[in-house]
Amino acid sequence: MSKSLIESVLSSKSVLVTNNDDVTPYHNSPEGFSSQVKGVIKIGDSADIQAVLALANQCSNTDEEFVVYPISTGNNWGYGSSVPPKDKRIQYLLDLSQLNDILFFDEKTGLCTIQPGVTQKILYDFLKEKSSDYMVLR
């Protein structure tokens, strides 16, 4: 898979990381699992998700074929953290942790729309700042 092919569909807010030192932290999980991902696509603009998925579909069944595995913060310990399942195809992690905005909150109903990188801590701080009656256990 050509690094420049993926980079060509990314906006300036997103980046493809392939340097071994920067990718290594994603290879191991607390459970002892390991992976051999080719790189990490760090998404900074939600529109880039669609662009990467369209490219992956376009490259399907070609010499450029690759698969992506989305993670939010990669700290879902007990659920495999940031380690994708074994696959013979070229693998990239789609790191969504930078998408960490709370998009909508309705105090009356408690409805909250969040991006995938919103952690319990971010939501806790948000509700505390709003002096909301709702709570998140940390």
Side-chain angles (χ1 to χ4, degrees):
M1 162 51 54
S2 169
K3 178 180 174 182
S4 62
L5 189 58
I6 291 176
E7 289 175 322
S8 72
V9 301
L10 297 177
S11 72
S12 61
K13 294 181 180 180
S14 300
V15 64
L16 172 61
V17 178
T18 57
N19 176 306
N20 279 342
D21 291 339
D22 295 329
V23 175
T24 297
Y26 292 91
H27 283 278
N28 297 308
S29 73
E31 297 92 353
F33 305 127
S34 65
S35 73
Q36 293 302 313
V37 295
K38 180 88 170 177
V40 179
I41 305 167
K42 296 182 112 182
I43 299 294
D45 183 340
S46 59
D48 289 341
I49 298 168
Q50 185 175 3
V52 170
L53 295 179
L55 179 62
N57 285 330
Q58 177 185 333
C59 293
S60 184
N61 297 317
T62 71
D63 291 342
E64 300 288 326
E65 183 175 30
F66 68 98
V67 293
V68 295
Y69 294 96
I71 60 169
S72 56
T73 61
N75 294 326
N76 294 333
W77 300 319
Y79 297 101
S81 57
S82 63
V83 178
K86 291 186 180 200
D87 194 318
K88 293 181 181 182
R89 296 172 290 182
I90 295 172
Q91 302 176 352
Y92 288 93
L93 290 178
L94 197 61
D95 182 342
L96 306 174
S97 63
Q98 294 179 78
L99 301 177
N100 58 5
D101 290 330
I102 297 171
L103 304 174
F104 174 80
F105 175 63
D106 182 332
E107 178 68 42
K108 183 177 179 184
T109 64
L111 178 65
C112 197
T113 304
I114 61 173
Q115 291 184 314
V118 172
T119 63
Q120 287 181 310
K121 170 82 168 99
I122 292 170
L123 184 56
Y124 172 85
D125 290 343
F126 174 83
L127 293 173
K128 187 175 179 181
E129 180 183 303
K130 297 277 185 197
S131 299
S132 175
D133 290 334
Y134 293 99
M135 65 179 184
V136 175
L137 300 177
R138 302 185 320 140

